[in-house]
Amino acid sequence: MQITLDNPTSAPGPANGYYSQVARVELPGAGALLYLSGQVAEGADLTEQSRGVFETIDALLGAHGAGLADIINIRTYLTDITQLPAYGAVRAQYLTGAPPTSMTFEVSRLFKPEALIEIEVVAAVPAVPAPRDAHGPE
């Protein structure tokens, strides 16, 4: 098993240099799992922050050949659980396929005082098929 820790330059960088944004775990012959660190975003309200978080997650996944449809688990931390419907509306715009496994928590605060939401995900990246011989099967 090979594990790669990454901070893709095509996505917003980590808040500090003490962690990696993505851990990619190669599964022999079966693709990879991507573990993303918790993501926060700037914004005036929960809706804006939620959109920013999903845009960042999409960019991080995209840097590893995946997308939002590849998310298999999502963990959401809200500072006010009564705002769950607002978050749910944004989430439904970004996660349009089969819903991933999920947990949502209310927390008293996040590491950035202005953050209202933090989301971490796990995504499954399918194996890339081996190129076929240009001459075809013999």
Side-chain angles (χ1 to χ4, degrees):
M1 175 171 28
Q2 178 181 344
I3 300 171
T4 305
L5 300 174
D6 188 26
N7 289 312
T9 57
S10 59
N16 59 50
Y18 299 116
Y19 65 95
S20 295
Q21 295 278 69
V22 181
R24 182 183 180 104
V25 179
E26 299 294 337
L27 304 173
L33 292 176
L34 302 175
Y35 294 85
L36 273 58
S37 292
Q39 301 298 316
V40 298
E42 295 182 7
D45 60 20
L46 181 67
T47 298
E48 285 182 19
Q49 288 186 21
S50 298
R51 285 189 181 119
V53 168
F54 278 110
E55 292 296 327
T56 298
I57 289 170
D58 193 34
L60 290 167
L61 293 174
H64 284 268
L68 296 172
D70 297 309
I71 293 173
I72 59 171
N73 180 265
I74 185 168
R75 285 170 301 285
T76 305
Y77 305 87
L78 296 171
T79 59
D80 180 359
I81 201 73
T82 67
Q83 295 295 309
L84 186 60
Y87 161 65
V90 173
R91 177 177 156 159
Q93 293 172 356
Y94 285 89
L95 302 181
T96 59
T101 63
S102 177
M103 291 187 74
T104 301
F105 307 87
E106 182 177 45
V107 295
S108 61
R109 65 182 178 186
L110 296 165
F111 78 99
K112 290 181 104 176
E114 65 277 13
L116 303 173
I117 187 168
E118 184 168 352
I119 300 174
E120 60 180 312
V121 302
V122 177
V125 182
V128 177
R132 295 193 324 174
D133 184 352
H135 301 291
E138 302 210 7

